[in-house]
Amino acid sequence: MTTHSLSPDILSALEGAVGRNGLTADTAGMAKYLGDWAGDYRGGALAVLRPGSVADVQALMRLCCELGLGVIPQGGNTGLVSGAIDTNDASLVVVSLERLNTIRRIDPDNFTLEADAGCVLQTIKDASEAEDCLFPLALGAQGSCQIGGNAATNAGGVNVLRYGMARDLILGLEVVLADGELWNGFSGLRKNNSGYDLKQLFIGSEGTLGIITGVEVKLFPKPARVETAYLGLASFEAAVALFNRARRACSDLISAFEIIGSECIELARLIEPGMTAPVAASVQVLIELSSGPNIDLNGLLAGFLTDAMEDGLVIDAVLAASGAQARAFWSIREGLVEGQAKRGYHVRTDLSVRISDIPALIERARRFVATEHPGWIALAYGHAGDGNIHFNVLPPLDLPEAEARARGAEVTAGLYDIAVSLGGSISAEHGIGRSRRREFWDGLSPAHRRMVAALKTALDPKGLMNPGCLLPSMETLP
Amino acid sequence: MTTHSLSPDILSALEGAVGRNGLTADTAGMAKYLGDWAGDYRGGALAVLRPGSVADVQALMRLCCELGLGVIPQGGNTGLVSGAIDTNDASLVVVSLERLNTIRRIDPDNFTLEADAGCVLQTIKDASEAEDCLFPLALGAQGSCQIGGNAATNAGGVNVLRYGMARDLILGLEVVLADGELWNGFSGLRKNNSGYDLKQLFIGSEGTLGIITGVEVKLFPKPARVETAYLGLASFEAAVALFNRARRACSDLISAFEIIGSECIELARLIEPGMTAPVAASVQVLIELSSGPNIDLNGLLAGFLTDAMEDGLVIDAVLAASGAQARAFWSIREGLVEGQAKRGYHVRTDLSVRISDIPALIERARRFVATEHPGWIALAYGHAGDGNIHFNVLPPLDLPEAEARARGAEVTAGLYDIAVSLGGSISAEHGIGRSRRREFWDGLSPAHRRMVAALKTALDPKGLMNPGCLLPSMETLP
């Protein structure tokens, strides 16, 4: 890593923009902003800036624009693709939105909420619940991630099936552009078909086009009833068939449909040693329905499962008898992620294919790992209703980390090839960041690349916004 | 209107691109492409081109790019804002997609459908239904409008409340860019979070950034049950309160919530003279729920209405006892639009506000018409669940059309002012086109205008795509 530093003059100008409390340039103070939540990446920066107002963000972007200083916008730092960590040359400044953390307005009559970008997702969920509303974005990182980061990365999670990605939940954005100009795209309107929908550009752009400073989201009625069941099936084919049947039988009330290969359960035991899955089958499904108060949701789910068992599609099923049991089912699903983290370095993917191609994806990926990387442990689980499989691979326990990382890159490349050969995506929900940038860019058609380059150049002509993330350097753009 | 014409050389080059059957330059042959469905606008063109393949569209755009010839992409010509009719100087060529009308693929297992841009919406709806699926976009013009036009204009309609606008229903687009390059953005994936979501740019861009040649959409299970009721209420305030209560009580199963001011009923009688509304109240609501087969939807709606009547929110209610009765309720709603068309020229708006501001919008608009334009008849109806009110105004019957049109422009301006004063939009679903361009552009912030201009310049640097629509001329862009 090249060493860079800022001159005292520049540091003092930056301090002028964000105030004394808003600037950190010493190693110890910067440390927490330079490593990600999952512990996968560490990087460097010239300084960490923590603006205390939207006007501060504007002042600082004006200054960076004048100085030609590159900027990494940073939320809760819970991303998984090094989108907010500069692992390359450390010549950028990090702009953390954490001090912009106020909920500006909740309007339960219109089912809308406006918040600063730095509001933690859980805070927004809690505030919505206090008004008997639901903000449905649900992620493992929800206690740390920020709504601005959720918007910038188009976050997904376990309720996408019912409520959509972050993109589908956002009504408006407020953005400081690369030149420091403020764009206010809040409206409160459900429907506004007036020209280019500019907010769509910034959603999922991973900080490469501007800094999101405020987010306006849709709320929903808080479901009065939730029913959860844990199922055992014989195959992933059966799981796909079951999902399609559930879509028809359960109306639009399915809020989650997660599949878990039974090999994952051992991993969850790393977190909770006494944990056993409620069923023993090789493919397990966690299904959740939710609705308002006046629907016999329990009867709906029970009837659906009875039919599916009679037809042999489901081998075994446990319908949660209480909220506590439902939470226990979810803790198995969440334990997988925590269990992987406990194992240290591992290959983490976020593939998507057509739903009907899920069995082929898993079968080919397992065969690839078994034949090309014997000793590595393949895990398949994910949001089956979205076609999104996290096919992760753990290195053998005795393999030194450096070797595991080198080999892991090959494993990842092989898995990407399999997804692409099925017409799938290498990033269903985690985004591209720095860690998938090359594979992403290599996979684009020339026409697609030229359009991406044209948009980037149009909105950030100096290439100051999150350089190194998502796109190759400005000089090499087509 | 200035008179222009194409040289024989250019005509022959264009014919080379689209074939002899694909070019019309005589007045009679062009007539049907130069007037809109509603009969509001007539325009001119140098020629009408009807490409028979995506390759034809590319060849023709390459040629137009070389010649600097402006192009109007045209679907079913059912838009209401002169987006596909050049009422200005007739120096453009119209590119009709009508010959690209094949459904390319239906995949009921994945609930997706791929179609050429020129496929008529009703054809897509019928093909989906044949697979026991639903494509939920539902518009008065569905027998004529084309899916490419629906995408380009981000069409709305009566089921937006449940299923969203066209934007929410589109999984992928195929687009011929301004330079003739083809961008294939089909994927079949439900979830793909890989960089800028380019399709979002073209959705709602009204042909100003490229020509959409193919559309990939989401399908849904065809609802097995639909329940419809026609309600009488005392006020628009009561209608808003009822909607919020319905959201909570009826889960996410509301597929339509239309409000109709009783003054509109007389208009529907122009279409069906014997028609009477099922209720006599001053504010009428058409509510529809839909679901899968295993929900007691009739009981859900009946219970909800009983409670609302006991609380005095609903004065009178008729729950449709048959499909025929439900269709009769809908024919009242549809009759409003046809009745207005029968009356000839009238002021047509498409306003949206926060749902809680609907009563204020209607009250202020009625007061404005009564005091400033006595003798004009104000009609309020719309998609209340989206905050979208079509507040239309009919001129006095004895007013000559030229005078009515002149005065109508003032009426429109006054109504726009009222919507804007409430933080609303002048185009909830119809788009901007040519007829709302000035008001739209005047209402944008400088930052917004600069971004729109930057995008347009990035993707259509020569300004060939639908000049005059949505944006001011390239020379005057900021």
Side-chain angles (χ1 to χ4, degrees), chain A residues 6 50 60 176 210 296 307 326 342-343 428-429:
Chain A
L6 290 171
R50 303 183 311 120
L60 117 78
V176 172
D296 175 12
D307 289 350
K342 269 213 166 167
R343 277 282 301 244
E429 59 177 13

Side-chain angles (χ1 to χ4, degrees), chain B residues 66-296:
Chain B
E66 204 182 297
L67 298 169
L69 194 56
V71 158
I72 303 190
Q74 188 175 93
N77 221 346
T78 62
L80 296 169
V81 292
S82 192
I85 302 289
D86 174 22
T87 49
N88 301 320
D89 73 349
S91 64
L92 310 172
V93 294
V94 166
V95 178
S96 165
L97 279 298
E98 67 185 359
R99 286 173 69 204
L100 293 179
N101 59 4
T102 308
I103 291 181
R104 299 184 190 172
R105 177 183 184 188
I106 306 189
D107 181 350
D109 287 342
N110 288 298
F111 289 96
T112 61
L113 180 150
E114 296 166 24
D116 288 345
C119 265
V120 168
L121 174 54
Q122 188 66 54
T123 308
I124 290 175
K125 292 175 77 76
D126 291 346
S128 305
E129 192 156 330
E131 298 287 348
D132 208 24
C133 289
L134 170 74
F135 181 59
L137 196 64
L139 313 173
Q142 66 195 31
S144 311
C145 65
Q146 297 168 9
I147 191 68
N150 298 147
T153 60
N154 187 23
V158 294
N159 289 146
V160 170
L161 181 57
R162 172 77 162 269
Y163 298 100
M165 305 275 283
R167 182 181 305 280
D168 303 295
L169 300 171
I170 291 172
L171 280 176
L173 290 180
E174 178 192 79
V175 182
V176 173
L177 304 174
D179 60 1
E181 183 102 25
L182 183 68
W183 173 65
N184 181 346
F186 277 18
S187 78
L189 305 176
R190 292 276 150 183
K191 225 172 165 184
N192 182 14
N193 204 13
S194 300
Y196 307 160
D197 190 1
L198 299 181
K199 68 174 179 291
Q200 303 293 350
L201 270 174
F202 298 100
I203 299 170
S205 67
E206 305 189 24
T208 62
L209 298 176
I211 301 186
I212 294 171
T213 54
V215 183
E216 181 181 50
V217 298
K218 294 180 198 169
L219 303 180
F220 294 79
K222 192 182 151 206
R225 296 191 176 181
V226 178
E227 295 289 338
T228 313
Y230 200 100
L231 319 175
L233 288 82
S235 66
F236 289 104
E237 283 81 0
V240 168
L242 184 73
F243 172 68
N244 278 349
R245 194 192 262 231
R247 278 204 72 173
R248 293 190 179 275
C250 302
S251 216
D252 293 332
L253 302 176
I254 312 173
S255 43
F257 193 97
E258 300 285 305
I259 55 172
I260 302 168
S262 61
E263 74 282 0
C264 302
I265 299 302
E266 211 168 304
L267 201 70
R269 285 207 195 92
L270 288 178
I271 296 300
E272 189 138 354
M275 197 275 289
T276 50
V279 299
S282 66
V283 174
Q284 306 179 5
V285 166
L286 180 56
I287 184 172
E288 185 192 85
L289 309 188
S290 45
S291 77
N294 306 324
I295 287 175
D296 175 13

Side-chain angles (χ1 to χ4, degrees), chain A residues 33 35-36 40-41 71-75 77-88 92-95 152-153 205-208 430-437 465-471:
Chain A
Y33 303 93
D36 70 316
D40 282 346
Y41 305 102
V71 159
I72 303 189
Q74 189 175 92
N77 221 345
T78 63
L80 297 169
V81 291
S82 192
I85 303 289
D86 175 20
T87 49
N88 301 318
L92 309 173
V93 294
V94 166
V95 177
T153 59
S205 68
E206 304 189 21
T208 62
H430 294 171
I432 299 302
R434 288 171 176 78
S435 66
R436 296 175 183 164
R437 189 190 73 183
M465 300 308 310
N466 212 358
C469 179
L470 194 56
L471 299 138

Side-chain angles (χ1 to χ4, degrees), chain A residues 68-390:
Chain A
L69 194 56
V71 159
I72 303 189
Q74 189 175 92
N77 221 345
T78 63
L80 297 169
V81 291
S82 192
I85 303 289
D86 175 20
T87 49
N88 301 318
D89 72 350
S91 64
L92 309 173
V93 294
V94 166
V95 177
S96 165
L97 278 298
E98 67 186 0
R99 287 173 67 203
L100 293 179
N101 58 5
T102 307
I103 292 182
R104 298 185 191 173
R105 178 183 182 185
I106 306 188
D107 181 350
D109 288 341
N110 288 298
F111 289 97
T112 61
L113 180 150
E114 297 166 24
D116 288 346
C119 264
V120 168
L121 174 54
Q122 188 65 56
T123 308
I124 290 175
K125 291 175 78 78
D126 291 344
S128 305
E129 194 157 330
E131 298 287 345
D132 207 24
C133 288
L134 170 75
F135 181 60
L137 196 65
L139 314 173
Q142 65 196 32
S144 311
C145 65
Q146 297 169 8
I147 191 68
N150 298 147
T153 59
N154 187 24
V158 294
N159 289 146
V160 171
L161 180 57
R162 171 78 161 270
Y163 298 100
M165 305 274 283
R167 184 182 302 282
D168 303 295
L169 301 172
I170 291 173
L171 280 177
L173 290 180
E174 179 192 78
V175 182
V176 172
L177 304 173
D179 60 1
E181 183 102 25
L182 183 68
W183 174 64
N184 182 345
F186 278 17
S187 78
L189 304 175
R190 292 277 149 181
K191 226 172 164 183
N192 182 13
N193 203 14
S194 299
Y196 307 160
D197 190 0
L198 299 181
K199 69 174 177 289
Q200 303 292 349
L201 271 173
F202 298 100
I203 299 170
S205 68
E206 304 189 21
T208 62
L209 298 176
I211 301 185
I212 294 171
T213 53
V215 183
E216 180 181 51
V217 298
K218 294 181 197 169
L219 303 180
F220 294 79
K222 191 183 153 207
R225 296 191 176 183
V226 178
E227 295 289 338
T228 313
Y230 200 99
L231 318 175
L233 287 81
S235 66
F236 289 104
E237 284 81 359
V240 168
L242 185 73
F243 172 68
N244 277 350
R245 194 193 261 230
R247 277 204 72 172
R248 293 189 180 277
C250 302
S251 215
D252 293 331
L253 302 176
I254 312 173
S255 43
F257 192 97
E258 299 286 304
I259 56 173
I260 301 167
S262 61
E263 74 281 1
C264 301
I265 299 301
E266 210 167 304
L267 201 69
R269 284 207 196 92
L270 288 180
I271 296 301
E272 189 139 352
M275 199 273 292
T276 51
V279 299
S282 66
V283 175
Q284 306 180 2
V285 166
L286 179 57
I287 183 172
E288 185 192 85
L289 309 188
S290 46
S291 77
N294 305 322
I295 287 176
D296 175 12
L297 203 65
N298 185 278
L300 180 67
L301 184 54
F304 168 69
L305 294 176
T306 304
D307 289 350
M309 288 183 81
E310 273 171 15
D311 294 348
L313 207 51
V314 170
I315 301 168
D316 199 359
V318 186
L319 209 158
S322 65
Q325 196 177 6
R327 277 191 297 281
F329 294 171
W330 276 107
S331 73
I332 298 171
R333 171 65 180 81
E334 286 147 16
L336 307 183
V337 181
E338 294 168 46
Q340 290 172 81
K342 269 213 166 167
R343 277 282 301 244
Y345 169 77
H346 57 279
V347 170
R348 187 192 293 121
T349 70
D350 168 40
L351 311 173
S352 73
V353 290
R354 284 179 178 263
I355 295 165
S356 56
D357 286 332
I358 289 176
L361 173 73
I362 294 175
E363 196 264 322
R364 289 188 206 179
R366 282 179 169 174
R367 192 162 7 111
F368 159 74
V369 172
T371 58
E372 307 283 320
H373 304 280
W376 288 61
I377 302 161
L379 304 169
Y381 66 95
H383 318 299
D386 310 317
N388 180 189
I389 301 299
H390 297 300

